[in-house]
Amino acid sequence: YGKNTIKFLRLHREGKKHFVKEVEVCTHLRLTSAQEYLEGNNSLVIPTDTIKNIVLVLAKKNGIPTLEQFAIDICKHFMTTFCQVAYVKTYVQEVPWQRLHENGVPHVHSFICVPDGIRFCEAEQCRNGPLVVFAGIKDLKLMKTTQSGFEGFYKNEYTTLPERHDRILCGELFCKWSYGECKDFDFDCIWYTNKIRECILEAFAGPPDCGEYSPSYQKTVNSIQMLVLSKVSQVQVIEVILNNTFYNVVDMKNLGLTNDKEVLVPVEAPYGSCACTLGRKKFLEA
Amino acid sequence: YGKNTIKFLRLHREGKKHFVKEVEVCTHLRLTSAQEYLEGNNSLVIPTDTIKNIVLVLAKKNGIPTLEQFAIDICKHFMTTFCQVAYVKTYVQEVPWQRLHENGVPHVHSFICVPDGIRFCEAEQCRNGPLVVFAGIKDLKLMKTTQSGFEGFYKNEYTTLPERHDRILCGELFCKWSYGECKDFDFDCIWYTNKIRECILEAFAGPPDCGEYSPSYQKTVNSIQMLVLSKVSQVQVIEVILNNTFYNVVDMKNLGLTNDKEVLVPVEAPYGSCACTLGRKKFLEA
Amino acid sequence: YGKNTIKFLRLHREGKKHFVKEVEVCTHLRLTSAQEYLEGNNSLVIPTDTIKNIVLVLAKKNGIPTLEQFAIDICKHFMTTFCQVAYVKTYVQEVPWQRLHENGVPHVHSFICVPDGIRFCEAEQCRNGPLVVFAGIKDLKLMKTTQSGFEGFYKNEYTTLPERHDRILCGELFCKWSYGECKDFDFDCIWYTNKIRECILEAFAGPPDCGEYSPSYQKTVNSIQMLVLSKVSQVQVIEVILNNTFYNVVDMKNLGLTNDKEVLVPVEAPYGSCACTLGRKKFLEA
Amino acid sequence: YGKNTIKFLRLHREGKKHFVKEVEVCTHLRLTSAQEYLEGNNSLVIPTDTIKNIVLVLAKKNGIPTLEQFAIDICKHFMTTFCQVAYVKTYVQEVPWQRLHENGVPHVHSFICVPDGIRFCEAEQCRNGPLVVFAGIKDLKLMKTTQSGFEGFYKNEYTTLPERHDRILCGELFCKWSYGECKDFDFDCIWYTNKIRECILEAFAGPPDCGEYSPSYQKTVNSIQMLVLSKVSQVQVIEVILNNTFYNVVDMKNLGLTNDKEVLVPVEAPYGSCACTLGRKKFLEA
């Protein structure tokens, strides 16, 4: 049980300059007891209202140095404060506020919401187990208008899809990686120095002057994983899900026109999905 | 990988009387190969477009006798047709069309959408493993305006929640149960004869003339599970998630009024969540 | 300016039997002044927080006898209390809670949310003008699987749609009617006695044993309007919008099958829309 | 009647460099006839399927030079081709694809979706009337963490809101302006040269080093309108709606802490709304 979507804004001021971190937190607990389910005995139950208060107080006291550190702080607090907690998991996602700029000058206290991918993280711990930290980015919508195809696939009597060597590749990416057992990482430093987001975009798009041919969603997913694992040594395992939207070339023959992939219609349902989890030395697909 | 939200309507006619089943199907596969990820070799990949075709063809050929049987048919088809499939999972959910009635007379071909809980099911199979079937109901929004409280809970310096013995209990239920290894069940017969939905409502609400006191969300979740397990012998394990919305009594003292729980405001975020999985003989909470 | 989505629950008790009315209210005002926009002088501005308080206090004091009466009460309150209000409009929509029944017995305090059409109303008034009341129903999803076609339409070189005399008609209805200048109506009595909702369903579906042929969405919209106007004398004008979802018969020729309108796929975007406003004696289409 | 959410992608290639314009179009017509409503006579009805075809063909033939020009082309086509059309309105909104950059180098064919405000436009014409063009931006979420207050407002017995001279101002902006009767404007030139979006952001935020005090949402709305009207001579009238989210400072006294506006919780419902339409020489508020 737990509390979901605890939303709040943490405002930090340095003189006239303001820094905002608006987050949405979900914290779930499993207790060592079962009596609250079986007997309605609540004596060990920490109310979800108290969970919310603890999250807000930790934000007030520690601030949100990084999303990951904040999730770790919450997990540690529950494990050390309450001996009836058998397991704790905390998920934190960020509202993508960006500082406004006017003619290149950053504004001291004004922000705009730019949802081109949402950063999130997760920390979890079982009593007597390690504290494990995950981070990720979701809702990242990307498109390439060429250098994508799908050929040589398995065919039988149910196959109607034609082979294509030049199609649009468009999808929404979900990437989540594990930093393994929690260490004294500076998570924002890993994020910014290693440019994980840039890695993902680069693996998706290929070189800016010509791109790189994608023979399938599967291969693109794998390319993203390989690049992140090779560039960011702290990442242990990376899961990528690519939900793709097909674009159908509109047949205009009946309308007396030849449509050379100029007008395409997105097909939003059904949509394909391709997920893979890749770790160091071992390979798992799902 | 797989195809999500394959939406279609299966229309069945018996003379002038029409029967509709509109569903949304998600089918996911795991292949025995990895070469499509590593090398971009698609020779074993069944396109998601073919997955969609197979789902539609099975609906055309077999109809949708029950949601569960349809999910089983799909899984069996993939396992027997494609030796490269290591695992298959199919999820089916129903659009809640109900036959229209005029002055109590059922209409032969007109329907209304009544989304008071959505039926769904899931079937999954690993190669050489059993075919396991799940069913459930989700998006079921219930409320009781008394006979609910929360007292005697754990308190510390972060506790601000007062004890309450008369509050509103309102939430959205998700229930999913396992029928275990697939047998020749008549799933609609189990659903309708055992009145699973009625069980859930009854366990939530208590007797119609007085209700039954709920000392916590946890106990209500457990009551639902116990009643379903006791009434429906085919159910092996049942998971229930109750996402609850608190209703705050509006403080009207500053407005010169005494509000005796007459005007309440829903708090939609954050919301509490309580999940539990209960099986026969063994007890697991999550 | 105003306050939107003021959500609250009004609970009324008669002994052990509870009655709930959960609503969402939007109240908008126009003031006689412009100084708050031009000069930042707020001296005549009624804060939206005060608007919210007034709505809650009126709910506490008067209850919600009917949605319409509640909207009227709010408008009257603003017009009589604040001389700086030039115009007031209040919209009220209902959360569709229905009393639970167990084996036909109504439960004293348990409810289920059944969103098969949402009732709403609107009241508005200009200073020195009449108070006008509207009511309606929205999000009403209906389908008929035959007795619908579309033939004899205008054709030119851009026409690719075939004529069809047996198609599925499926759509979401929005109906809004005016009761004209506010009188001492018992609005729930009009609603229930005249069975407005049943009128709409009946006009859509036709007789239960055979239905009634619809030659177009336009004609169906008109039939609904004509029936409501003929059955409910208090309705002055009625607007109906029908947003329709096409169902395409899946072509299975390539898959070696003949699909006799048994498997159909909904096309959710783009969707057609047909709106018409019909009054007594005068006819307006939009 | 008409067709909504006609979604398509228009791809334009110049050598290896690709340009994408993905849009969503809604086109509505009113005919001179009423016989389709009254008699089910469809002989003058242009099917919504034909409307869709026309929109796609125009995109194929003319491309989408600007959103506004495309909306104008569609309106003109319907007015000149079909004498039974009494009125036509076309709405076009853009999917916010932006070209990807790698280390500052623009990619030839890869794009990312960045929804920090959505551009849209509208064109409408009555037979024998002028073609009028509107443009706008919506879903623009902005926040300033200081330089905002609300004081000196009207008070009575329902007032519980305290005066505040330092609050967070956060909201979603909808701006729509009229270019008046259609002329040979280069609409993208007006958009980019006059930096309308930048105007809006600047009027909202004030100077980057100190901001500008906002005494109310109303005044901020007016500032945006005044700046756009003064900077962009082609704009005749501008409507601005600001839907605001309040942020409540969490009271932590019971938790033994002083919260100096460091932790704030957003209140998403109810939300305030402030709308105003400002033209040259005349002033209208709504």
Side-chain angles (χ1 to χ4, degrees):
Chain A
Y1 78 98
K3 199 77 163 186
N4 292 316
T5 62
I6 308 172
K7 298 179 183 184
F8 65 93
L9 178 79
R10 182 63 170 86
L11 180 57
H12 172 72
R13 302 176 187 86
E14 294 184 3
K16 281 170 65 178
K17 192 161 185 186
H18 287 198
F19 301 82
V20 297
K21 206 70 134 176
E22 183 168 353
V23 294
E24 196 175 307
V25 177
C26 305
T27 292
H28 286 259
L29 307 175
R30 192 166 59 228
L31 303 184
T32 52
S33 69
Q35 64 195 17
E36 68 275 22
Y37 287 93
L38 300 175
E39 299 157 31
N41 178 336
N42 297 324
S43 61
L44 293 176
V45 177
I46 305 156
T48 62
D49 188 74
T50 303
I51 296 174
K52 182 200 69 181
N53 285 343
I54 289 171
V55 168
L56 295 176
V57 164
L58 289 176
K60 155 73 186 159
K61 284 184 174 168
N62 304 354
I64 305 182
T66 65
L67 297 186
E68 292 85 356
Q69 194 56 52
F70 185 58
I72 292 168
D73 290 353
I74 293 170
C75 286
K76 283 187 174 168
H77 181 91
F78 279 96
M79 270 299 161
T80 55
T81 311
F82 303 100
C83 56
Q84 71 264 46
V85 170
Y87 168 79
V88 56
K89 180 165 84 170
T90 291
Y91 171 88
V92 184
Q93 92 178 29
E94 189 177 14
V95 179
W97 293 111
Q98 286 187 8
R99 190 173 294 282
L100 267 186
H101 286 71
E102 291 179 15
N103 302 313
V105 183
H107 199 285
V108 285
H109 61 243
S110 293
F111 303 88
I112 181 168
C113 185
V114 186
D116 57 347
I118 303 288
R119 276 185 76 179
F120 66 90
C121 74
E122 217 170 76
E124 62 175 346
Q125 187 169 21
C126 285
R127 188 155 297 279
N128 303 323
L131 205 162
V132 186
V133 183
F134 302 86
I137 186 166
K138 62 174 192 170
D139 301 345
L140 186 59
K141 286 178 204 156
L142 300 173
M143 174 191 280
K144 40 189 281 196
T145 53
T146 187
Q147 288 282 48
S148 164
F150 187 49
E151 300 175 284
F153 47 77
Y154 190 88
K155 294 179 192 67
N156 70 359
E157 70 268 33
Y158 298 109
T159 312
T160 54
L161 189 76
E163 306 230 321
R164 276 178 299 179
H165 64 278
D166 185 15
R167 61 172 183 178
I168 285 185
L169 196 167
C170 180
E172 193 171 297
L173 270 175
F174 171 94
C175 301
K176 179 180 169 183
W177 52 88
S178 164
Y179 288 120
E181 193 168 337
C182 170
K183 285 172 198 147
D184 260 348
F185 285 150
D186 178 337
F187 294 97
D188 271 4
C189 177
I190 299 174
W191 176 270
Y192 289 113
T193 314
N194 291 289
K195 303 184 171 178
I196 298 183
R197 191 172 182 279
E198 285 73 11
C199 271
I200 294 168
L201 299 182
E202 189 190 322
F204 177 87
D209 58 335
C210 60
E212 186 171 327
Y213 185 71
S214 160
S216 66
Y217 293 104
Q218 281 86 340
K219 189 71 175 66
T220 292
V221 161
N222 185 253
S223 300
I224 293 168
Q225 295 172 318
M226 296 294 277
L227 196 62
V228 171
L229 285 172
S230 74
K231 289 260 183 91
V232 193
S233 62
Q234 296 92 340
V235 171
Q236 301 299 314
V237 180
I238 176 166
E239 177 190 5
V240 174
I241 303 176
L242 176 54
N243 289 328
N244 45 73
T245 303
F246 282 99
Y247 280 77
N248 275 337
V249 179
V250 180
D251 185 348
M252 294 191 159
K253 260 178 250 160
N254 290 339
L255 298 165
L257 292 165
T258 306
N259 179 12
D260 181 23
K261 291 178 212 156
E262 293 160 292
V263 180
L264 303 103
V265 167
V267 181
E268 290 170 349
Y271 66 91
S273 181
C274 171
C276 185
T277 303
L278 186 66
R280 300 194 179 280
K281 288 189 194 158
K282 63 178 184 289
F283 178 81
L284 300 159
E285 76 176 276
Chain B
Y1 78 99
K3 199 76 162 186
N4 292 315
T5 63
I6 308 173
K7 298 180 183 183
F8 65 92
L9 177 79
R10 181 64 171 85
L11 180 57
H12 172 71
R13 301 177 186 86
E14 293 184 3
K16 281 170 65 179
K17 192 161 185 186
H18 287 199
F19 301 82
V20 297
K21 204 70 134 179
E22 185 169 351
V23 295
E24 196 175 307
V25 177
C26 304
T27 293
H28 286 260
L29 307 174
R30 192 166 58 228
L31 302 184
T32 52
S33 69
Q35 65 196 17
E36 68 275 22
Y37 286 93
L38 300 174
E39 299 156 31
N41 178 336
N42 298 325
S43 61
L44 293 177
V45 177
I46 306 157
T48 62
D49 188 74
T50 303
I51 297 174
K52 182 199 68 183
N53 286 342
I54 290 170
V55 168
L56 296 176
V57 164
L58 290 176
K60 154 73 187 159
K61 285 184 175 168
N62 304 355
I64 305 182
T66 64
L67 297 187
E68 292 85 355
Q69 194 55 52
F70 185 57
I72 291 168
D73 290 352
I74 293 170
C75 286
K76 283 187 173 167
H77 181 90
F78 278 97
M79 269 300 162
T80 56
T81 311
F82 303 101
C83 56
Q84 71 266 44
V85 170
Y87 169 79
V88 55
K89 181 165 84 171
T90 290
Y91 171 88
V92 183
Q93 93 178 28
E94 190 177 14
V95 179
W97 292 113
Q98 285 187 9
R99 191 174 294 282
L100 267 186
H101 287 70
E102 291 179 15
N103 301 313
V105 183
H107 199 285
V108 285
H109 60 243
S110 293
F111 304 88
I112 181 169
C113 186
V114 185
D116 56 349
I118 303 288
R119 275 186 75 181
F120 67 89
C121 75
E122 216 170 76
E124 62 175 347
Q125 186 169 22
C126 285
R127 188 155 295 279
N128 304 322
L131 205 162
V132 185
V133 183
F134 301 86
I137 186 166
K138 61 174 193 170
D139 300 345
L140 186 58
K141 286 178 204 156
L142 300 173
M143 173 191 280
K144 39 190 280 195
T145 52
T146 187
Q147 288 282 47
S148 164
F150 188 50
E151 301 175 284
F153 47 78
Y154 190 89
K155 294 179 193 66
N156 71 358
E157 71 267 34
Y158 298 108
T159 311
T160 54
L161 188 76
E163 305 230 320
R164 276 179 299 178
H165 64 278
D166 185 15
R167 61 171 183 178
I168 284 184
L169 195 167
C170 180
E172 192 171 298
L173 269 176
F174 171 95
C175 301
K176 180 180 168 183
W177 51 89
S178 164
Y179 288 120
E181 193 168 337
C182 171
K183 286 174 196 143
D184 260 349
F185 286 150
D186 180 337
F187 294 97
D188 271 4
C189 177
I190 299 173
W191 176 270
Y192 289 114
T193 315
N194 291 288
K195 302 184 171 178
I196 299 184
R197 191 172 181 278
E198 285 73 10
C199 271
I200 295 168
L201 299 183
E202 189 190 322
F204 177 87
D209 58 335
C210 59
E212 185 173 326
Y213 185 71
S214 160
S216 66
Y217 294 104
Q218 281 87 338
K219 188 73 176 66
T220 292
V221 161
N222 185 253
S223 300
I224 293 169
Q225 295 172 318
M226 296 293 278
L227 195 63
V228 171
L229 285 171
S230 74
K231 288 259 184 92
V232 193
S233 62
Q234 295 91 339
V235 170
Q236 301 300 313
V237 179
I238 176 165
E239 177 190 5
V240 173
I241 303 175
L242 175 53
N243 289 327
N244 45 72
T245 302
F246 283 100
Y247 280 77
N248 275 336
V249 179
V250 180
D251 185 348
M252 294 189 160
K253 260 178 251 160
N254 290 338
L255 298 164
L257 292 165
T258 305
N259 179 12
D260 181 23
K261 290 179 213 155
E262 294 160 293
V263 180
L264 302 102
V265 166
V267 181
E268 290 170 349
Y271 66 93
S273 181
C274 170
C276 184
T277 303
L278 186 67
R280 302 193 178 278
K281 290 188 193 159
K282 63 177 186 289
F283 179 82
L284 299 160
E285 76 176 273
Chain C
Y1 78 98
K3 199 76 162 186
N4 293 315
T5 64
I6 308 173
K7 298 178 184 186
F8 66 93
L9 178 78
R10 181 62 171 86
L11 181 56
H12 172 72
R13 301 177 186 85
E14 295 183 3
K16 282 171 65 180
K17 192 160 186 187
H18 287 198
F19 301 82
V20 297
K21 205 69 134 178
E22 185 169 350
V23 294
E24 196 175 306
V25 178
C26 304
T27 294
H28 286 260
L29 306 175
R30 192 167 58 229
L31 302 184
T32 51
S33 69
Q35 64 195 19
E36 68 275 22
Y37 285 92
L38 300 176
E39 298 156 33
N41 178 338
N42 297 326
S43 60
L44 294 177
V45 177
I46 306 156
T48 63
D49 189 74
T50 303
I51 297 174
K52 182 199 69 182
N53 285 343
I54 290 170
V55 168
L56 296 175
V57 164
L58 290 176
K60 156 72 187 160
K61 285 185 175 167
N62 306 353
I64 305 184
T66 65
L67 297 187
E68 292 84 356
Q69 193 56 53
F70 185 56
I72 291 168
D73 289 353
I74 293 170
C75 286
K76 283 186 175 168
H77 182 91
F78 279 97
M79 269 299 162
T80 54
T81 311
F82 303 101
C83 56
Q84 71 266 45
V85 169
Y87 168 79
V88 55
K89 180 165 84 170
T90 290
Y91 170 89
V92 183
Q93 92 178 31
E94 190 176 14
V95 179
W97 292 111
Q98 287 187 8
R99 190 174 295 280
L100 267 186
H101 287 71
E102 290 180 15
N103 302 313
V105 184
H107 199 287
V108 285
H109 60 244
S110 293
F111 303 88
I112 181 169
C113 185
V114 185
D116 57 347
I118 303 288
R119 274 185 76 179
F120 68 89
C121 74
E122 218 171 75
E124 62 174 349
Q125 186 169 23
C126 284
R127 187 155 297 277
N128 304 322
L131 206 162
V132 185
V133 183
F134 301 86
I137 186 165
K138 62 175 192 169
D139 300 346
L140 186 59
K141 285 177 206 158
L142 301 173
M143 174 191 281
K144 41 190 280 194
T145 53
T146 186
Q147 288 283 47
S148 163
F150 187 50
E151 300 175 285
F153 46 77
Y154 190 89
K155 294 178 194 68
N156 70 356
E157 71 267 32
Y158 298 110
T159 311
T160 54
L161 187 76
E163 305 231 322
R164 277 180 298 180
H165 64 278
D166 186 15
R167 62 172 183 177
I168 285 185
L169 195 168
C170 181
E172 193 171 297
L173 269 176
F174 171 95
C175 301
K176 180 180 169 183
W177 52 88
S178 164
Y179 288 120
E181 193 167 338
C182 171
K183 288 174 195 143
D184 259 349
F185 286 149
D186 179 338
F187 294 97
D188 271 4
C189 177
I190 299 174
W191 176 270
Y192 289 113
T193 315
N194 291 289
K195 303 184 170 178
I196 298 183
R197 192 172 180 278
E198 285 73 10
C199 270
I200 294 168
L201 299 182
E202 189 190 322
F204 177 87
D209 59 335
C210 61
E212 185 172 325
Y213 185 71
S214 160
S216 65
Y217 294 105
Q218 281 85 341
K219 188 71 175 69
T220 293
V221 161
N222 185 253
S223 300
I224 292 168
Q225 295 172 317
M226 296 293 278
L227 196 62
V228 172
L229 285 173
S230 75
K231 289 259 185 92
V232 193
S233 61
Q234 295 90 342
V235 171
Q236 301 299 314
V237 179
I238 175 165
E239 176 190 6
V240 173
I241 303 176
L242 176 54
N243 288 328
N244 45 73
T245 302
F246 283 99
Y247 280 76
N248 275 336
V249 179
V250 180
D251 186 348
M252 295 190 159
K253 260 178 249 161
N254 290 338
L255 298 163
L257 291 165
T258 306
N259 179 12
D260 181 23
K261 291 180 213 156
E262 293 159 292
V263 180
L264 302 102
V265 166
V267 181
E268 289 171 348
Y271 66 92
S273 181
C274 170
C276 185
T277 303
L278 186 66
R280 300 192 180 280
K281 291 192 193 157
K282 65 176 181 291
F283 178 82
L284 299 161
E285 77 177 273
Chain D
Y1 77 101
K3 199 76 163 186
N4 293 315
T5 64
I6 308 172
K7 298 178 183 186
F8 66 93
L9 178 79
R10 181 62 171 87
L11 181 56
H12 172 72
R13 301 177 186 87
E14 294 184 4
K16 283 170 65 179
K17 191 161 188 186
H18 286 197
F19 302 82
V20 298
K21 205 70 134 178
E22 184 169 351
V23 294
E24 197 175 306
V25 178
C26 304
T27 293
H28 287 259
L29 307 176
R30 191 166 60 228
L31 302 184
T32 51
S33 69
Q35 64 195 18
E36 67 275 22
Y37 286 92
L38 300 175
E39 300 156 31
N41 178 337
N42 297 325
S43 61
L44 293 177
V45 177
I46 306 157
T48 62
D49 189 74
T50 303
I51 296 174
K52 182 199 69 183
N53 286 342
I54 289 171
V55 168
L56 296 176
V57 164
L58 290 176
K60 156 71 186 161
K61 285 185 175 167
N62 305 354
I64 305 182
T66 65
L67 297 187
E68 291 85 355
Q69 193 57 52
F70 185 57
I72 292 168
D73 289 354
I74 293 171
C75 286
K76 282 187 175 168
H77 181 91
F78 279 97
M79 269 300 161
T80 55
T81 311
F82 303 101
C83 57
Q84 71 266 44
V85 170
Y87 167 79
V88 55
K89 180 165 83 172
T90 291
Y91 170 89
V92 184
Q93 91 178 31
E94 190 176 14
V95 180
W97 292 111
Q98 286 187 7
R99 191 174 294 281
L100 268 186
H101 286 72
E102 291 180 14
N103 301 313
V105 183
H107 199 286
V108 285
H109 61 243
S110 293
F111 304 88
I112 181 169
C113 185
V114 185
D116 57 347
I118 304 288
R119 273 186 76 180
F120 68 89
C121 74
E122 218 171 74
E124 62 175 348
Q125 186 169 21
C126 285
R127 188 155 297 277
N128 304 322
L131 206 162
V132 185
V133 184
F134 301 86
I137 186 166
K138 62 175 193 169
D139 300 346
L140 186 60
K141 285 178 205 157
L142 300 173
M143 174 191 279
K144 41 190 279 195
T145 53
T146 186
Q147 288 283 46
S148 163
F150 187 50
E151 300 175 284
F153 45 78
Y154 190 89
K155 295 179 194 66
N156 70 358
E157 70 267 34
Y158 298 108
T159 310
T160 55
L161 188 77
E163 304 231 322
R164 276 180 298 179
H165 64 277
D166 185 15
R167 61 172 184 177
I168 285 184
L169 194 167
C170 180
E172 194 171 295
L173 269 176
F174 171 94
C175 302
K176 180 180 169 184
W177 52 89
S178 164
Y179 287 120
E181 192 167 339
C182 171
K183 287 174 196 143
D184 259 349
F185 286 150
D186 179 338
F187 294 96
D188 271 4
C189 177
I190 298 174
W191 176 270
Y192 289 112
T193 314
N194 291 290
K195 303 184 169 179
I196 299 183
R197 190 172 183 279
E198 285 74 10
C199 270
I200 294 167
L201 300 182
E202 190 190 322
F204 177 87
D209 59 334
C210 59
E212 185 172 325
Y213 185 71
S214 160
S216 66
Y217 293 105
Q218 281 85 340
K219 188 71 175 67
T220 292
V221 162
N222 184 252
S223 300
I224 292 169
Q225 294 172 318
M226 296 294 278
L227 195 62
V228 172
L229 285 173
S230 75
K231 287 260 184 92
V232 193
S233 61
Q234 295 91 342
V235 171
Q236 300 300 314
V237 180
I238 176 166
E239 177 190 6
V240 173
I241 303 176
L242 176 54
N243 288 328
N244 44 73
T245 302
F246 282 99
Y247 280 76
N248 275 336
V249 179
V250 180
D251 185 348
M252 295 190 158
K253 261 179 248 160
N254 290 339
L255 298 163
L257 291 166
T258 306
N259 180 12
D260 180 23
K261 292 180 213 156
E262 292 160 292
V263 180
L264 302 102
V265 166
V267 181
E268 289 170 350
Y271 65 93
S273 182
C274 170
C276 184
T277 302
L278 187 66
R280 299 194 180 279
K281 290 190 192 156
K282 64 178 181 291
F283 178 83
L284 300 160
E285 77 177 275

